[in-house]
Amino acid sequence: MEQNNHRSLGGKLALWAFYAFCGYFVWAMLRYVWVVSKITSSPGMVVAGDLGSASGKWLGALLGFLVPGTVGLMLGGIAWYTRPRGGNGCQEE
């Protein structure tokens, strides 16, 4: 016999919060790429951390990715923790 496992209400909420955040994360990263691509580099750029330089753009992208990435990992962990579980963890056919 197959037993259907269902998520609790809290588990469904956690999963949908994770899905919504994934959508927001993709939108935010695409918007970031669009905005940063409009920044032109100055010809005499000497400071490597300036946002107009290529390394400054990559540094900004990395720092802009870390915070939402951490939030996404936490939401994904909560959604995984609230998943429906089987009896012994194995499925027999």
Side-chain angles (χ1 to χ4, degrees):
M1 287 275 159
E2 260 187 61
Q3 177 185 1
N4 285 340
N5 294 327
H6 299 284
R7 284 187 181 265
S8 67
L9 183 60
K12 289 178 184 178
L13 180 64
L15 186 62
W16 280 105
F18 177 67
Y19 287 159
F21 184 79
C22 286
Y24 165 76
F25 183 77
V26 168
W27 174 79
M29 288 298 114
L30 289 174
R31 184 174 148 255
Y32 179 80
V33 167
W34 180 66
V35 168
V36 169
S37 68
K38 300 294 182 191
I39 298 174
T40 57
S41 298
S42 299
M45 195 60 60
V46 291
V47 179
D50 192 13
L51 188 59
S53 67
S55 60
K57 288 180 184 181
W58 283 107
L59 181 63
L62 177 65
L63 293 176
F65 176 79
L66 286 178
V67 173
T70 303
V71 172
L73 282 174
M74 288 191 301
L75 287 173
I78 292 169
W80 178 80
Y81 184 74
T82 58
R83 75 191 186 281
R85 294 181 177 88
N88 60 1
C90 299
Q91 291 184 354
E92 297 178 15
E93 293 190 35

